[in-house]
Amino acid sequence: MYPLMQAWINTFTYVQPNVEVSYSAVGSGKGIAGITSGLYTIGESDAPLSTAQYAGLPPGSTLLTIPISDSGIIPAYNLPGITAHLNFTGNILAEIFYGSITMWNDPRIANLQSPSVAAQLPAHAIQVYHRSDGSGTMYGFTQFLSDSNSTWKAKVGFSTSTLPWPVGIGCLHNAGVADCIATTPYSIGPLEIAYEIANPGQINYGAVRNAYGNFIAANLTNISQALSAGVRNGLPTTDPEWTSFSVIQATFNDTSDKYIYPVSTFTYALVYQDLSASYASTSQAQALAALTFLSWIVNNGQGTGPNSSGATLGYPPLPSSAVTLDNTLLATITYNGTPVL
Amino acid sequence: MVILAVVIAIIPLILVVWDVVSQGLPAITLNFFTHNPPSPCSQSQIATGSAMCWGGILNGIEGSLLMVGMATLIAVPVGIGAGIYFSEWPESRLSFLSSFTNDVLAEFPTITIGLFIFVLIVETTRTFSAVAGATSLAIIMLPIVARTTEESLKLVPTTLREASMALGIPRWKTIFRIVISTGRSGLATGILLAIARAAGETAPLVVTAGYLNFPPTGLFQPTASIPYIIYNFGTGGDYANWTTTAWGAALSLVVFMLILNLSVKFFIGRKFAGVRAEI
Amino acid sequence: MTASPKGNRGSRSKGDLVLKVVVGAAAVGVIAILVGLGIELTSGSWLSIKTFGLGFITGSTWDPYHDIFNVLPFILGTLITSAIALLLGLPIGLGVAIFLSERAGRTRGLGAALGSLVELLAAVPSVIYGLWGLLVLVPIMREYIEPTLKTYLGFTQLFNAAPFGLDLLTAGVVLTIMIIPTISAVSRDVLNAVPNSQREAMYSLGATDWEVTRKAVLPYARSGIFGATILGLGRAVGETMAVTFVVGNATAIPTSIISPGYTLTSLIVNQFGTTTDPLSDAALVEVGLVLFMLALVINFFARLLVWRMTRSTRFRV
């Protein structure tokens, strides 16, 4: 997320030179603490607040959760000679990352593949890589594993902070995981789709089975579709409802949703609804600047035009339904009673 | 055989300088010193020549200047003061204890000094700040200034002091007028060495000053620095223009160090000119 | 070496007293900083000290998710990387010192030039060594050096792992480069402090250069060189940025030296932005406290040794 925010800030500065946005990449824990204490005007998080974090907010305050970007997580691997997308399920991935499956030609993996691909699976140990730092990407990925496998849910769980990965070696940042996989044959690791989009063809990744039973290889379209379906089926309207909101593994009513990618997540901006309140510690000018920035991100920062950066960096654009919702939410933010925008 | 050791010792230096120059030079343009760092760009974006993909280290230059400048203002008076005490009152127990402590502090892990200021200033002000960064740098600079002050003052012959005091000049005037002005090249050396040390420090700034992608916005705001840019953009991942920025920043820093070190050599040459008049 | 005139001679004016108090305060300030360091680090880590007690340094699980913080793997990482740096750095540093002190006397220009070059090694900021290490040295280690080591020495546990490049060995190599100037500069002063009478006595017996060095100079300088080594150790233990780039950032106990690891210093820097609650904040500060105590002991001991050796000439680095 950090490179994307950096790109947004730089582009926004071109567009609005009189606004300076400073960004402290401190990790969601401190970010949420900062919003709670009024240190930051906008908080950015890859996961909605937990119940406990909501409880820690100043009394009487309303914190808006606004999706500003999204991502998908792919199981990337390095298998010499195999170019096809291997098929995975959440359950099998959980077992691999838990250490229960240790060989590439394990029958549990082979059974998911077509016979020709299954025959190519090598009799070699799996080298597992994961992130050594905490991140929203891992939050989404481990949430997916938790939803798919009860052992993972019980023993490891999911979080935005550094996780106790049972097996494997940690590599720093998304790029580190990509490097680790690229240089180690027979390895596997979770990677943000952004890497694959920015460096097409450099790394192989598998297809993941969604809740409809289809094996989907992620791309910008099917991730966007997943999130679009989520929005269409109703985003939470009050703060605490966001705690349990997730697009991961979800099934929806529309038959066109059959090919959505299951490991898709939103990234959120967190802003108080009443920016004039004392706990927000924001001046009127800051409020206007902050919301102008957010509005720009939502409306202009998603695509591939010269003045935007989302898709060029590999982050799927927000579905239009989410953009509409965001604009509605932003319009409700007030300063001294009047809407800021 | 010892020649072999010398050769092995010098090889890494040559390799590092070679790589810094060859990788960093492509980044150096006038814009490099007048713009902030670029957006992350994939290879294809860089190929389009988009202006968004080029940038520089303006924020780091201003931030480093601010913090090293403030640190110098703090460390130099205190360091010279301590150095004077070590040199002029060496028999006192305080002198011995403090001088020893000074040497211990000089080699101390700078990350712990950063953590110290983190607990002391950052946690109480609840923000990363230029002030916190400058304070941690000052603590790192202090022992160098104190030590070189002490050593260059000690090089001034006793005869000078005695002659002055025999003329009835009070001790404090003696120290200031005669001793310091004669040993001033040594003092200047110490200050320059300390500045060189502070300009290259990264670890304490990571935990005290943080980072900002703009030039400094306030004394109690996160502040960029050139070493932090190298750290941040060097480990930032596969954006080629970010890596180039890091190398460019490294080259700028190395050149700056070279200038400082050459200035020190220049001063040392002058140092003996002042003392030559004595027997 | 100058002796300071006693304060009673000459007129004792108010100015003398003011000066003495002011600069004395600066001297007190130096001590206050070190003491303050210890106090603040202790107070900042109090929550963690209370929670984990001694288990902090004997336990080996670093698990922020479950709020368990133990640092044994990182103490090991620090010790291993420093040991590698000393093993490689001591012979080289000492060799350079011998060259500059004993041999280059004849070739004044060359000796000074080479001496300056080695000092220039120390002038390069550690973050640049880190950057270079990551982008240049790591691929070399991973592609060429470590596979070779694994092939020939893989039967020992030390080298029995997949060559990773980002590991303890690479960190140790980068640290070596950084402590060579320290060891050589201090050793050179120590060797210079050996009285010429020692050398002349051996020469008069017909000894060669190397025999003189080995039999007359080095034994005499033994404790000082030991002190230089300990100072180098202190530098290696405290080095942060050069190590952070290349050490691999793995929180488990390393199984070989070509496996990724962590040191106390790089742990602090890398984990810094990720703490989520007061306990993890305090744990990180406590890592700093452990480092503080380690550095204090090493530096204190080293300075003592070097002081004893060079006391007569009062040369200090």
Side-chain angles (χ1 to χ4, degrees), chain A:
Chain A
M1 198 45 217
Y2 173 56
L4 179 57
M5 184 53 83
Q6 193 65 57
W8 274 336
I9 292 174
N10 281 20
T11 314
F12 184 66
T13 313
Y14 264 106
V15 168
Q16 284 265 22
N18 52 333
V19 175
E20 259 187 16
V21 183
S22 77
Y23 177 64
S24 291
V26 291
S28 0
K30 285 220 158 45
I32 292 177
I35 266 279
T36 309
S37 65
L39 191 59
Y40 303 126
T41 309
I42 306 175
E44 188 234 309
S45 173
D46 298 298
L49 262 56
S50 67
T51 324
Q53 286 164 331
Y54 271 118
L57 290 175
S61 65
T62 309
L63 189 72
L64 293 180
T65 308
I66 305 177
I68 53 173
S69 180
D70 44 43
S71 180
I73 303 105
I74 54 177
Y77 51 78
N78 180 342
L79 283 175
I82 297 187
T83 50
H85 290 298
L86 286 185
N87 290 332
F88 293 104
T89 64
N91 191 41
I92 296 299
L93 282 174
E95 306 227 312
I96 294 177
F97 282 92
Y98 196 75
S100 317
I101 297 183
T102 54
M103 300 289 288
W104 276 109
N105 62 350
D106 190 298
R108 288 168 282 187
I109 301 182
N111 282 342
L112 295 174
Q113 321 303 328
S114 68
S116 56
V117 173
Q120 287 183 303
L121 286 172
H124 203 282
I126 305 178
Q127 172 63 59
V128 172
Y129 287 120
H130 53 78
R131 290 281 288 268
S132 60
D133 51 326
S135 87
T137 326
M138 292 304 102
Y139 176 82
F141 184 65
T142 48
Q143 186 178 6
F144 177 62
L145 296 182
S146 294
D147 283 353
S148 316
N149 183 296
S150 50
T151 316
W152 184 275
K153 185 172 188 169
K155 294 286 169 62
V156 187
F158 56 96
S159 162
T160 49
S161 62
T162 322
L163 282 161
W165 296 88
V167 298
I169 297 180
C171 307
L172 192 61
H173 298 323
N174 213 36
V177 175
D179 271 342
C180 288
I181 298 176
T183 53
T184 314
Y186 310 109
S187 60
I188 190 174
L191 205 58
E192 241 185 274
I193 188 71
Y195 182 85
E196 159 64 20
I197 306 285
N199 304 279
Q202 284 197 11
I203 212 156
N204 285 327
Y205 61 99
V208 183
R209 192 174 67 187
N210 66 12
Y212 297 91
N214 298 317
F215 289 97
I216 310 292
N219 56 40
L220 291 180
T221 316
N222 50 36
I223 294 176
S224 236
Q225 278 175 340
L227 296 161
S228 189
V231 173
R232 208 184 324 120
N233 280 272
L235 289 175
T237 48
T238 69
D239 290 342
E241 288 176 10
W242 280 96
T243 308
S244 49
F245 175 76
S246 163
V247 178
I248 300 219
Q249 287 278 56
T251 54
F252 305 101
N253 299 322
D254 203 318
T255 48
S256 68
D257 298 330
K258 285 211 159 38
Y259 299 99
I260 58 176
Y261 185 65
V263 201
S264 309
T265 61
F266 274 125
T267 318
Y268 308 93
L270 306 165
V271 194
Y272 283 117
Q273 187 160 37
D274 179 6
L275 284 177
S276 55
S278 55
Y279 48 74
S281 304
T282 310
S283 72
Q284 181 137 23
Q286 279 176 322
L288 180 60
L291 291 194
T292 312
F293 180 52
L294 276 182
S295 176
W296 179 87
I297 289 179
V298 168
N299 293 296
N300 305 88
Q302 299 293 321
T304 53
N307 276 341
S308 55
S309 341
T312 39
L313 283 175
Y315 292 90
L318 279 179
S320 49
S321 41
V323 174
T324 314
L325 173 75
D326 285 351
N327 285 325
T328 316
L329 282 174
L330 286 174
T332 65
I333 301 180
T334 61
Y335 201 90
N336 283 334
T338 47
V340 177
L341 282 179

Side-chain angles (χ1 to χ4, degrees), chain C residues 31-184:
Chain C
I31 301 181
I33 290 176
L34 194 63
V35 170
L37 206 55
I39 295 178
E40 287 296 317
L41 286 180
T42 311
S43 88
S45 48
W46 194 241
L47 186 58
S48 174
I49 298 175
K50 268 194 327 188
T51 313
F52 301 108
L54 212 57
F56 191 73
I57 51 179
T58 56
S60 49
T61 319
W62 181 270
D63 183 355
Y65 185 56
H66 291 114
D67 260 348
I68 303 178
F69 299 105
N70 305 122
V71 300
L72 186 61
F74 320 123
I75 297 179
L76 281 179
T78 301
L79 290 178
I80 294 174
T81 51
S82 307
I84 296 174
L86 279 181
L87 266 169
L88 297 174
L90 180 58
I92 301 176
L94 197 53
V96 172
I98 293 175
F99 177 79
L100 292 174
S101 149
E102 308 286 310
R103 305 276 179 275
R106 309 178 192 167
T107 46
R108 181 104 262 168
L110 180 63
L114 285 176
S116 302
L117 270 183
V118 177
E119 270 164 31
L120 234 48
L121 264 183
V124 176
S126 57
V127 66
I128 296 183
Y129 281 120
L131 184 69
W132 175 82
L134 175 66
L135 298 176
V136 177
L137 184 62
V138 166
I140 296 178
M141 296 293 285
R142 186 172 54 208
E143 313 279 319
Y144 303 109
I145 301 189
E146 286 174 10
T148 318
L149 286 172
K150 175 162 188 217
T151 317
Y152 293 110
L153 297 173
F155 56 89
T156 62
Q157 188 49 38
L158 276 183
F159 292 96
N160 190 20
F164 206 62
L166 290 166
D167 49 44
L168 295 170
L169 181 62
T170 312
V173 170
V174 178
L175 277 181
T176 308
I177 301 176
M178 307 199 58
I179 68 171
I180 288 175
T182 308
I183 296 187
S184 83

Side-chain angles (χ1 to χ4, degrees), chain C residues 244-281:
Chain C
T244 306
F245 278 80
V246 302
V247 78
N249 307 318
T251 55
I253 295 204
T255 52
S256 82
I257 64 172
I258 55 176
S259 307
Y262 243 138
T263 61
L264 293 169
T265 49
S266 54
L267 179 77
I268 298 175
V269 167
N270 263 333
Q271 297 279 324
F272 197 67
T274 67
T275 51
T276 51
D277 58 14
L279 183 58
S280 48
D281 279 339

